[in-house]
Amino acid sequence: MMGPAHSLSGAAAWLGVGAAAAAFGYPMPWPVLLVGSLVCAGAALAPDLDHKAATISRAFGPVSRWVCEIVDKLSYAVYKATRKPGDARRTGGHRTLTHTWLWAVLIGVGSSVVAITCGRWGVLGILFVHMVLAIEGLLWRAARGSSSDVLVWLLAATSAWILAGMLDKPGQGAYWLFSDPGQAYMWLGLPVVLGALVHDIGDALTVSGCPVLWPIPIGRKRWYPVGPPKVLRFRAGSWVELRVLMPVFMLLGGVGGAAALNFI
């Protein structure tokens, strides 16, 4: 799928988690619902860090382009080192390592570790990165073009500062779900994991599929492209994505958010 659909699906997924958490007796304070949905929307773009033409590769200027090249080469090296006879030969690392459940878990755990060990500045860093991606994904028309990069960064930095201030207030979410001393903001890793997994599921619906189960081997393949029957798949950017899935994500997100806040 394309960036906007990925971001919408990420936001909708976290709002759905908020509804489920409320139903099971762990309601999210509204700042957690808001911040989590934005972080998840941003994290749903992150797996494409292995593609030089992806939104994330240009979101942070030369830095993200440089990181993209490194991740692409790393992903390709891992693919070559672990492929089985049934896996196709390829020349790049797109839709390999960063599109797996293991990668999603690792970056989620890493985010939680940063949040609980680096204090406020670690939280601000996580929020800033994901706010930039969320803006690029959800407001793609306004954020398009290199001339808007600085404005996006300023908006993301301001938003991160304000949102962190809201979460810091007693009872507003710093210790949601993990309440023991030293576990403040430990939950921030959850929307990061969820966003990456939602991205993988979205890509699995497209023609190429997605090797989300790696390194678990399936038959003669270790990088098995998981997906529904081919007749149910679509091309990225097609009318199915733009006119069907994106409105569905918006509807589901609205229902999930309303349920999470006990409006329905």
Side-chain angles (χ1 to χ4, degrees):
M1 290 196 299
M2 305 299 286
H6 278 310
S7 286
L8 276 176
S9 67
W14 185 257
L15 292 170
V17 168
F24 284 96
Y26 297 94
M28 295 180 185
W30 70 266
V32 173
L33 189 67
L34 173 61
V35 172
S37 62
L38 291 172
V39 170
C40 200
L45 294 181
D48 277 343
L49 190 58
D50 59 5
H51 194 317
K52 64 181 180 180
T55 300
I56 189 173
S57 70
R58 61 171 178 77
F60 301 95
V63 174
S64 53
R65 288 193 290 271
W66 176 69
V67 173
C68 178
E69 291 181 6
I70 294 176
V71 172
D72 178 44
K73 292 178 181 178
L74 172 63
S75 299
Y76 181 51
V78 172
Y79 181 86
K80 289 198 302 181
T82 62
R83 63 184 292 267
K84 294 186 68 177
D87 291 312
R89 294 186 179 276
R90 56 188 305 147
T91 57
H94 182 48
R95 284 203 187 184
T96 55
L97 180 61
T98 62
H99 287 67
T100 65
W101 68 270
L102 183 58
W103 177 273
V105 171
L106 289 175
I107 61 172
V109 171
S111 296
S112 290
V113 170
V114 169
I116 62 179
T117 58
C118 298
R120 181 175 177 82
W121 289 108
V123 172
L124 286 171
I126 294 171
L127 293 182
F128 171 73
V129 168
H130 289 93
M131 289 304 107
V132 169
L133 296 177
I135 293 168
E136 293 278 2
L138 297 174
L139 304 176
W140 75 96
R141 294 187 188 278
R144 186 177 297 169
S146 59
S147 60
S148 64
D149 285 348
V150 174
L151 294 178
V152 171
W153 299 338
L154 289 174
L155 178 58
T158 303
S159 300
W161 188 271
I162 293 172
L163 292 172
M166 291 192 305
L167 290 170
D168 280 340
K169 294 180 180 178
Q172 292 300 302
Y175 283 93
W176 177 73
L177 204 60
F178 302 98
S179 56
D180 291 340
Q183 293 183 341
Y185 297 106
M186 188 172 178
W187 62 267
L188 269 179
L190 299 178
V192 174
V193 173
L194 182 61
L197 292 177
V198 167
H199 178 109
D200 297 342
I201 293 171
D203 278 355
L205 298 176
T206 62
V207 174
S208 301
C210 184
V212 62
L213 296 179
W214 181 88
I216 301 171
I218 299 178
R220 299 177 66 249
K221 297 182 178 182
R222 193 179 300 279
W223 297 89
Y224 185 85
V226 175
K230 290 187 177 181
V231 68
L232 298 177
R233 302 188 190 189
F234 58 88
R235 293 190 179 278
S238 69
W239 67 270
V240 175
E241 179 179 333
L242 300 175
R243 299 180 184 179
V244 177
L245 291 182
M246 289 179 66
V248 167
F249 294 152
M250 286 187 253
L251 176 62
L252 292 178
V255 172
L261 296 172
N262 292 318
F263 290 147
I264 59 173

